[in-house]
Amino acid sequence: MQWTLVIPLKPLALAKSRLSDTASDGLRPGLALAFAQDTVAAALASAAVKDVAVVTNDTLAGRELGALGAHIVPDEPGDGLNAALAHGAAVVRSSRPESAVAALNADLPALRPLELARVLDSAAQFPRAFLPDAAAIGTTLLAAAPGQELLPAFGTDSRARHRASGAVELPLADVDSVRQDVDTGADLRAALALGVGPRTAMAAARLLIKEQ
């Protein structure tokens, strides 16, 4: 089974506010874009991924991620993360009703294509399935097989909410790159320790230079 990934991205100027302890207002938009670029590039390199739809209204992000091969879907609802994901999945299935779709966070800069394939191949065994984040509180991936609604419930305590919605939690080891999203400075350091993509590495290097 090959999947269409739906990746939501808020306007870069508003992204990654919790990184304020690590990056200034001027640097955070560039970091958010770098995270998304490395996430999309790794996703498109995964054998389990057919294509990627990025839901965003950010002009710069749309241009840069489109250049990598992502389809850009305007965030017409403009009503937050879950509405954006539901809209993106609906747009994908309006032309391909039998698509397997999975929501993926845009802030997985250490993402490895092989690890993503392992997660998606495991998710294919269930109608709906999800992968908890590294903190074991949130969710980094939610998958819906053909004919199943995505029903995203991202946000606070999304691990518990996705489990309560009937999605199967995937008990996978050695997929750290798919779990390690970046919201805080500690998250960024953990992602750097795993090994991030080239754009995040460059953005992090600029951050270190700025600090010095």
Side-chain angles (χ1 to χ4, degrees):
M1 183 184 294
Q2 280 197 310
W3 297 77
T4 293
L5 301 187
V6 180
I7 297 179
L9 183 63
K10 66 172 62 175
L12 296 175
L14 304 177
K16 296 299 150 195
S17 59
R18 290 172 60 193
L19 274 173
S20 58
D21 63 340
T22 301
S24 68
D25 291 348
L27 291 176
R28 285 199 303 275
L31 277 172
L33 177 58
F35 297 164
Q37 287 173 302
D38 286 333
T39 300
V40 167
L44 287 169
S46 178
V49 174
K50 178 181 178 63
D51 53 9
V52 170
V54 174
V55 184
T56 187
N57 285 335
D58 191 283
T59 302
L60 174 61
R63 182 171 67 246
E64 295 296 324
L65 298 174
L68 293 175
H71 301 288
I72 306 304
V73 177
D75 183 4
E76 293 177 356
D79 194 26
L81 177 60
N82 292 311
L85 286 169
H87 173 63
V91 168
V92 169
R93 284 180 166 169
S94 67
S95 58
R96 290 184 279 126
E98 294 306 310
S99 292
V101 297
L104 183 72
N105 288 11
D107 58 352
L108 298 170
L111 186 64
R112 301 286 189 272
L114 287 175
E115 291 185 13
L116 177 59
R118 283 191 59 218
V119 174
L120 291 171
D121 288 347
S122 180
Q125 302 174 53
F126 307 101
R128 292 174 63 246
F130 73 97
L131 187 74
D133 65 7
I137 297 172
T139 303
T140 57
L141 181 144
L142 173 68
Q148 300 293 320
E149 293 296 323
L150 188 61
L151 302 179
F154 286 84
T156 305
D157 297 326
S158 65
R159 179 188 186 185
R161 290 197 286 160
H162 283 135
R163 189 190 296 126
S165 76
V168 174
E169 182 172 328
L170 299 173
L172 297 175
D174 301 322
V175 291
D176 293 347
S177 78
V178 196
R179 296 183 189 274
Q180 189 57 66
D181 54 353
V182 177
D183 288 317
T184 66
D187 294 335
L188 179 55
R189 289 188 288 274
L192 290 169
L194 286 174
V196 295
R199 297 164 187 84
T200 301
M202 289 180 62
R206 288 194 294 269
L207 175 62
L208 293 174
I209 291 170
K210 185 80 171 180
E211 287 180 342
Q212 293 172 0

